[in-house]
Amino acid sequence: MPTSFRFLDDVALADLAFEAEGDSAEALAQAATDALMHAMADPGTVGASWVRRFERRDADLAALLFDWLSDVVYWKDAAGVVFSRVKLTLTREAEQWSLTATLFGEPVDHTKQQLRDDVKGVTKHLYQVTERDGHWYARVVLDV
């Protein structure tokens, strides 16, 4: 499932913006989560001693993705962790999207992790999720 993301330097000067894309809604969710994790720390420098499983449902994919990304930011602050990887599935049944994810990380350790931005939240500014010709796109602005 190919995914990609790129940071957008010219969209939000005081914040951090990215575009994510994937060949499915699930691949898009994976790419957006990867971008958020990379914004906080280099995942290659983060272990996996902290593990949490999540389930979210919503009829609106854009709302589901927004809430999921906000959950990741919440747990960064609430547990004092950064993240190394996520395993997620996203399905749609009877007009309802369902996201199940397992998030892996470890407590912040300045001596061994390459920390990046302290993301404070996901914003609605310029936020969008679209599908064109079977390919999915999202634009996300993070408050840092």
Side-chain angles (χ1 to χ4, degrees):
M1 210 177 321
T3 67
S4 69
F5 64 84
R6 68 185 177 101
F7 290 100
L8 305 172
D9 296 328
D10 59 344
V11 172
L13 300 178
D15 294 325
L16 180 64
F18 67 84
E19 286 182 340
E21 62 180 278
D23 59 1
S24 67
E26 180 177 271
L28 172 66
Q30 181 71 53
T33 306
D34 289 346
L36 177 57
M37 291 187 309
H38 279 274
M40 294 186 228
D42 176 352
T45 65
V46 178
S49 61
W50 184 92
V51 180
R52 293 293 183 278
R53 185 166 159 44
F54 302 89
E55 291 185 28
R56 277 199 159 274
R57 297 179 197 281
D58 201 305
D60 179 14
L61 178 60
L64 177 66
L65 183 60
F66 184 90
D67 290 344
W68 160 243
L69 296 174
S70 296
D71 282 347
V72 174
V73 174
Y74 168 81
W75 281 103
K76 184 260 311 173
D77 290 331
V81 297
V82 285
F83 310 101
S84 56
R85 65 187 171 98
V86 65
K87 291 191 328 189
L88 66 79
T89 59
L90 180 67
T91 57
R92 187 172 186 191
E93 296 177 25
E95 303 301 314
Q96 185 83 355
W97 290 96
S98 177
L99 182 141
T100 303
T102 304
L103 195 56
F104 300 85
E106 71 179 349
V108 170
D109 182 345
H110 299 277
T111 65
K112 72 175 199 170
Q113 298 161 343
Q114 183 182 353
L115 301 175
R116 295 180 174 148
D117 290 301
D118 182 15
V119 177
K120 294 172 181 55
V122 180
T123 74
K124 295 277 183 161
H125 179 65
L126 301 175
Y127 179 77
Q128 63 179 348
V129 174
T130 57
E131 183 267 333
R132 289 187 305 275
D133 301 324
H135 205 75
W136 291 84
Y137 304 87
R139 178 173 284 186
V140 179
V141 177
L142 304 172
D143 180 20
V144 293

